[in-house]
Amino acid sequence: MKVLPLLLVLLSAASLAAETVLFAPDPGPAGQWSVSLPKPGRRSAASIPVPVERIAGKKVMLAAEIEQQDVSAKPNYWNGVKLMLVLNYADGKVNYPQAGNFSGTRPWTPHAVAVTVPADISSARIELALEEVSGTARFRNVRIIEDIPADCRGYRLTGSIDRANAEYRAGEEMKFTFRLTRDGKPASGFLQIVCAGDDGRSETLCRKLDKAGTAVVTRKLTRPGFAMVKATLLTAYGTPAQSGGRPIQYGLGGGVAADTLKPGEPEPEDFDAYWDRQKRALAAVPLKVLEKKFVRESKHCLIYDLKIACAGRRPVSGYLAIPKNAKPKSLPLRVFYQGYGVSGATLRENPAELTFSVNPHGIENGREQAYYIALANGELRSYGFSDRENARPESSYFNGMILRDLRALEFCRTLPEWDGETIHLSGGSQGAFQTVAVAALSDGISSCSLEVPWLCDLGGVNIGRIRGWRPNLRPGLGYFDTVNFAGRVKAPVTIKAGLSDWVCPPSGVWVLYNSLKAPARLTMYQGRDHAVYPAFDERQTPQTTYCK
């Protein structure tokens, strides 16, 4: 049993308990390992074999303190200052878990990475190095310990901005304040704060909370767009603190002249012609129900699992909920489109509506989890992100998805219970992208409801806007940019989105809103990521609504 000396506890969200050290290599008389590079390249400070019998079958943490000087920016997230385990598995696969790292100059700071090691591990080693960067890094107190999660219950991280509507002029300072409490009282600790802006600038900061439990960050933008900051509470090892299995985080954002934002790339000149061809190809496949399975009877609805013939490799699949005793032509229709992922359709029902929940892939619904895991790891792995497929719109994964979405709506129009007039489309993230596409390519839509819309302004990255999480911009993707569909939507649109969404950045959401010609209502929430932060409360968080 070994206790980390108090002197080394630099980033403490809670005091360290005793460690169980499984392996601690000897650094020699210097007491540390050191590596320097005058220009970007790769140089190792040490490559240290690990006795596998000490770590096999255990959840472990590789931990160390690192001091660095003038480390240059890394070209990829996996480069930089390397504190890494190399694990060779019995099946021949290799895993490379590594601690997060930073550029610039930093004092001695804890870093760590946790991993579960299989019982049949064949070999392991610790790598201390610089990779594709210049500068100097020093490593000390390197050790592998048993990973015992820190007790972070009761911690709550929130934040605020000095302007309720988050609107600023170009060059004006934005002031973001984060607050940490434990059981309602100000708490001490360190925050890792990631900052990014639509001016192409980004950096990661480490801030100590003051006696009031607060830390302040300021940003500026000199052109239209948004700046975002996200704070994460750190443990004493420099790893993200968690509560209830979720990182203790909060995010904020501010914008400059958002109503002037335009697409980063023009839409394809043949956009309409392309989709006319795709709709003709769809029409060439007769509308036919391939399978209709009764799923269950709920209190209010009869629910069916459907497959419908469609152009492309897969049929439409989804759940249809029909209210009991519904009379002909008596009910409005709502079609739900689903977010990114591989699963069955989400079953939804409403006693006052016909509800069709569309599976984005046309795969089976209601199957065992192993079925979806196999698809996610195989045929549908990283779907939509293939540069090769996205070189042409016809081969993009999203092409078949939109055709299935259109066919789903076409089928719903044939339901005898539909009132013949009212069609509501809804979706979040990828589902919002599908909703806008279907509304743009269809007539007779009554309303569109969007949350955190995805695939917006794919060309924005070319002019320095925050990338978010999206495929690389390839020639075929312009036909699927949510923004390019927007101007063709005739129905009223409502949008809810976050000012700190690192998947769908607010600049893209605003380009979507600005591109809409139909009546629209946009609400931007402070403290909302793509999923909500732990302390987010929609009823209390600052929010601003825009209408046109």
Side-chain angles (χ1 to χ4, degrees), residues 170-225:
E172 191 174 8
E173 184 177 86
M174 306 176 188
K175 183 179 178 182
F176 304 100
T177 302
F178 294 99
R179 293 177 177 82
L180 180 68
T181 59
R182 188 172 197 183
D183 299 326
K185 299 178 181 179
S188 61
F190 279 77
L191 301 179
Q192 175 182 289
I193 303 175
V194 179
C195 309
D198 286 326
D199 55 2
R201 297 175 57 199
S202 63
E203 64 177 331
T204 301
L205 309 172
C206 184
R207 291 289 169 84
K208 182 180 180 180
L209 292 154
D210 61 22
K211 292 181 179 180
T214 65
V216 176
V217 178
T218 59
R219 312 300 292 173
K220 289 182 181 180
L221 280 178
T222 58
R223 67 186 197 188

Side-chain angles (χ1 to χ4, degrees), residues 39 41 61 122 164 201 216 236 239 294 382 398 454 456 518 539:
K39 59 182 181 180
M61 181 182 291
S122 60
R201 297 175 57 199
V216 176
T239 56
F294 178 73
S382 301
F398 300 117
W454 192 48
C456 295
R539 296 166 299 176

Side-chain angles (χ1 to χ4, degrees), residues 283-367:
V285 178
L287 176 62
K288 181 181 179 182
V289 176
L290 302 176
E291 187 176 286
K292 182 178 181 180
K293 295 190 299 185
F294 178 73
V295 176
R296 64 180 175 87
E297 178 178 343
S298 70
K299 181 178 180 181
H300 299 290
C301 295
L302 302 174
I303 299 164
Y304 302 88
D305 186 357
L306 299 179
K307 290 189 177 70
I308 303 160
C310 187
R313 294 179 53 202
R314 295 196 189 94
V316 175
S317 71
Y319 286 121
L320 174 65
I322 302 177
K324 293 179 183 178
N325 304 315
K327 297 179 180 179
K329 296 186 179 297
S330 64
L331 293 171
L333 168 68
R334 186 174 299 274
V335 183
F336 284 96
Y337 297 106
Q338 197 155 308
Y340 194 97
V342 180
S343 66
T346 301
L347 199 158
R348 296 176 173 88
E349 57 178 295
N350 185 329
E353 295 178 331
L354 293 167
T355 304
F356 193 40
S357 302
V358 183
N359 188 308
H361 308 293
I363 59 178
E364 294 185 38
N365 302 307
R367 286 288 301 270

Side-chain angles (χ1 to χ4, degrees), residues 19-53:
E19 296 179 341
T20 299
V21 178
L22 304 173
F23 176 64
D26 183 2
Q32 62 186 41
W33 292 268
S34 180
V35 59
S36 294
L37 280 172
K39 59 182 181 180
R42 192 185 197 289
R43 182 173 294 169
S44 178
S47 182
I48 307 165
V50 177
V52 294
E53 67 275 8

